[in-house]
Amino acid sequence: MIGSGPNGLAAAIVLAQAGLRVTVFEAEPTVGGGSRSAELTLPGFVHDLCSAVHATALASPFFRTLPLAQYGLEFIHPPLEVAHPFDDGSAAIVERSVERTAALLGRDDESYARIFGGLQRSWPNLESSVLGPLRWPQHPLAMAAFGMRALRSIAAHGLVPLDKALTAGFGLVLGVMAHMVGWVIPRGGAQKLTDALVAHLRALGGEVIANHRVTSLDELPRARAVLCDLSPRPFLKIAGARLPASYRRSLERYRYGMGVFKVDWALDGPIPWKAAECGRASTVHLGGTLAELELSEQQAWSGTAPDRPFVLLTQPTLFDPSRAPAGKHTVWTYCHVPGGSTVDMLPRIEAQIERFAPGFRDRILARSVMSPAGIEGHNANYVGGDIGAGIADVPQFFTRPTWRMYSTPVSGLYLCSAATPPGVGVHGMCGYFAAQRALADIHA
Ligand SMILES: Cc1cc2nc3c(=O)[nH]c(=O)nc-3n(C[C@H](O)[C@H](O)[C@H](O)COP(=O)(O)OP(=O)(O)OC[C@H]3O[C@@H](n4cnc5c(N)ncnc54)[C@H](O)[C@@H]3O)c2cc1C
């Protein structure tokens, strides 16, 4: 195995469960890729380096089968799933209950309840299609209904502009997860999920070697299968010489998209939100009106750093005091920027928070800033700061990174990162399906 992100560890566990001897090589000194935590600002303040909200981990059909609670993994449910404040001091909120959320949204309640209530009821039938590779759905009618809605555009988590097809798919999946499982946070931070996966892998006899960057496939010990938790660009660096020219060219054509600019703070008190509801949600979306949100995502997509960025914010210590000294807090944010952008977004992100929480700046004890280059610097998969490991638009969503998905033309060599289906998020399902593919080949 190359890479210890959630997909790499999931793949390693599947192979170890099948009785194979598994070794995971990880380039960074700490294990976990996009699911890690560290004291980025001050001693005693634990920040998530990448993933913060773990609805997909809790909803993951594979992680659900693992005894991760035995290894100390615990998810915290904040009172509200997400809040979205406005300039007048009010806020839209999403609660676990579809009905209560719909009622609070007022005018649009019927359509909200119809869409999310329907999705919630059909989720058991949809799950394997939404969190799996392209194949004939087990429940074609439920999937067709979801597909019609997913192809519409609306949601700003998808790292594509809001008017592009499929952005609604992200919104619908994340939205239904808020109602099905909740936008949970792991007690102690994202690293706790990784630690539990590693502990389980070790209990199955697997081995994880950190601080070992693989620079060429030739340096690996002989193995029946090599699975790479890599997106195409870093994969080409270590495997390019072994790949047939046509496959290499397909991977070279793989497109990366918007980057992210990330800021974490240590605060000496909670964020002083104008809208009280924001203090009851671990996730807060800052962007004002839909028109503002649309403009900011369109600008980032078309090469301009937005003046008023759409900021995703989490405030985990409100619900998990273990992550900071008593009475102190951590805050995690990022905004979308053009891939590889070098614009310093710190003042613009802080201005967006201050807009909805006057006095925020006065509470800052320390900051950690990560540009798109910094994001790529600590994880080679996120080229240009693209945390989705490649654009998830229609041509690159269903069959990523090529129509072969997990397989490559080289026997025994596989891809298992978020650049394969079902894509971005901490769920391990890319790793699970890649390992199933490898096992099928081994036993063929
Ligand atoms: C800022 C940010 C915020 C995010 N927020 C969320 C969120 O809130 N919720 C969510 O579900 N998801 C979130 N994500 C996305 C999520 O983290 C990823 O989708 C997920 O981690 C992908 O897992 P993976 O196993 O495919 O790859 P990764 O987690 O990227 O792991 C790949 C691993 O391979 C290693 N590696 C690379 N090259 C080599 C080499 N040559 N040799 C050895 N090892 C190598 C890397 O160091 C890394 O550890 C976020 C990501 C970022 C960066």
Side-chain angles (χ1 to χ4, degrees), residues 299-376:
Q299 284 178 325
W301 175 262
S302 52
T304 306
D307 286 333
R308 288 184 135 191
F310 168 56
V311 176
L312 287 97
L313 179 149
T314 68
Q315 40 187 3
T317 42
L318 287 183
F319 315 99
D320 179 8
S322 75
R323 300 195 200 187
K328 311 290 183 210
H329 288 275
T330 64
V331 177
W332 165 112
T333 62
Y334 71 73
C335 73
H336 297 147
V337 290
S341 169
T342 54
V343 175
D344 178 8
M345 297 298 285
L346 174 66
R348 302 182 202 187
I349 292 179
E350 287 193 350
Q352 282 290 56
I353 305 177
E354 192 73 27
R355 174 178 165 193
F356 300 103
F360 162 74
R361 282 199 190 94
D362 301 335
R363 301 205 169 165
I364 296 173
L365 298 172
R367 317 170 163 82
S368 153
V369 173
M370 237 185 277
S371 66
I375 302 257
E376 184 176 346

Side-chain angles (χ1 to χ4, degrees), residues 261-292:
F261 190 100
K262 180 170 184 278
V263 187
D264 293 88
W265 292 267
L267 300 185
D268 76 353
I271 301 178
W273 296 111
K274 274 198 280 186
E277 296 91 329
C278 293
R280 296 177 58 227
S282 91
T283 306
V284 183
H285 287 168
L286 304 174
T289 61
L290 180 61
E292 274 183 75

Side-chain angles (χ1 to χ4, degrees), residues 2-8 25-28 32-35 49-54 56 212-214 229-230 234 238 260 262 332 334 375 378-382 387 416-418 424-426:
I2 302 175
S4 69
N7 286 312
F25 295 102
E26 167 54 51
E28 299 296 318
S35 186
L49 258 79
C50 301
S51 65
V53 182
H54 287 78
T56 55
H212 184 120
R213 183 172 298 277
V214 175
D229 188 8
L230 301 176
I238 66 163
V260 308
K262 180 170 184 278
W332 165 112
Y334 71 73
I375 302 257
H378 78 72
N379 188 334
N381 273 0
Y382 306 139
I387 67 172
C416 70
S417 75
V424 64
V426 173

Side-chain angles (χ1 to χ4, degrees), residues 158-160 170 231-232 254-258 381-383 386-393 396 400 418-419 424:
L159 290 142
V160 284
F170 292 101
S231 72
Y254 186 76
R255 291 165 299 127
Y256 292 89
M258 290 194 267
N381 273 0
Y382 306 139
V383 174
D386 177 354
I387 67 172
I391 299 174
D393 57 3
Q396 238 178 223
R400 50 199 271 139
V424 64

Side-chain angles (χ1 to χ4, degrees), residues 10 22 38 44 50 62 72 115 139 149 254 262 295 302 326 336 346 357 369 372 378 388 413-414 442:
V22 182
C50 301
F62 179 57
I115 291 172
H139 298 273
R149 292 194 163 121
Y254 186 76
K262 180 170 184 278
L295 176 66
S302 52
H336 297 147
L346 174 66
V369 173
H378 78 72
L413 182 63
Y414 303 87
I442 286 171

Side-chain angles (χ1 to χ4, degrees), residues 91-417:
I93 57 168
V94 174
E95 292 194 26
R96 265 303 275 288
S97 150
V98 172
E99 294 73 26
R100 276 206 307 278
T101 304
L104 287 165
L105 286 175
R107 193 160 58 81
D108 285 335
D109 58 352
E110 275 181 29
S111 45
Y112 190 93
R114 205 174 49 247
I115 291 172
F116 283 102
L119 280 174
Q120 196 177 24
R121 282 188 294 280
S122 48
W123 183 252
N125 295 339
L126 287 172
E127 190 182 61
S128 61
S129 302
V130 174
L131 289 176
L134 182 67
R135 61 184 170 198
W136 184 249
Q138 284 166 334
H139 298 273
L141 290 178
M143 195 55 202
F146 174 80
M148 289 308 289
R149 292 194 163 121
L151 277 166
R152 290 182 206 143
S153 44
I154 45 152
H157 276 263
L159 290 142
V160 284
L162 273 63
D163 61 351
K164 294 271 182 208
L166 277 180
T167 59
F170 292 101
L172 293 174
V173 170
L174 290 174
V176 77
M177 282 185 186
H179 297 302
M180 292 295 297
V181 296
W183 283 19
V184 293
I185 55 171
R187 188 177 301 282
Q191 190 71 48
K192 297 293 181 191
L193 170 63
T194 293
D195 291 350
L197 290 169
V198 169
H200 185 53
L201 175 61
R202 290 198 167 125
L204 293 168
E207 189 186 11
V208 182
I209 301 175
N211 223 351
H212 184 120
R213 183 172 298 277
V214 175
T215 54
S216 158
L217 291 181
D218 299 332
E219 73 195 52
L220 293 176
R222 270 178 68 84
R224 285 203 272 179
V226 174
L227 280 78
C228 301
D229 188 8
L230 301 176
S231 72
R233 195 81 60 86
F235 177 67
L236 280 166
K237 278 197 188 136
I238 66 163
R242 288 233 196 137
L243 305 174
S246 61
Y247 182 70
R248 209 168 50 229
R249 276 196 301 275
S250 307
L251 290 185
E252 284 163 356
R253 281 196 296 271
Y254 186 76
R255 291 165 299 127
Y256 292 89
M258 290 194 267
V260 308
F261 190 100
K262 180 170 184 278
V263 187
D264 293 88
W265 292 267
L267 300 185
D268 76 353
I271 301 178
W273 296 111
K274 274 198 280 186
E277 296 91 329
C278 293
R280 296 177 58 227
S282 91
T283 306
V284 183
H285 287 168
L286 304 174
T289 61
L290 180 61
E292 274 183 75
L293 235 88
E294 244 173 321
L295 176 66
S296 126
E297 294 306 287
Q298 186 55 51
Q299 284 178 325
W301 175 262
S302 52
T304 306
D307 286 333
R308 288 184 135 191
F310 168 56
V311 176
L312 287 97
L313 179 149
T314 68
Q315 40 187 3
T317 42
L318 287 183
F319 315 99
D320 179 8
S322 75
R323 300 195 200 187
K328 311 290 183 210
H329 288 275
T330 64
V331 177
W332 165 112
T333 62
Y334 71 73
C335 73
H336 297 147
V337 290
S341 169
T342 54
V343 175
D344 178 8
M345 297 298 285
L346 174 66
R348 302 182 202 187
I349 292 179
E350 287 193 350
Q352 282 290 56
I353 305 177
E354 192 73 27
R355 174 178 165 193
F356 300 103
F360 162 74
R361 282 199 190 94
D362 301 335
R363 301 205 169 165
I364 296 173
L365 298 172
R367 317 170 163 82
S368 153
V369 173
M370 237 185 277
S371 66
I375 302 257
E376 184 176 346
H378 78 72
N379 188 334
N381 273 0
Y382 306 139
V383 174
D386 177 354
I387 67 172
I391 299 174
D393 57 3
V394 172
Q396 238 178 223
F397 183 75
F398 298 104
T399 53
R400 50 199 271 139
T402 72
W403 62 268
R404 291 176 183 272
M405 297 191 280
Y406 314 103
S407 300
T408 73
V410 178
S411 164
L413 182 63
Y414 303 87
L415 285 162
C416 70
S417 75

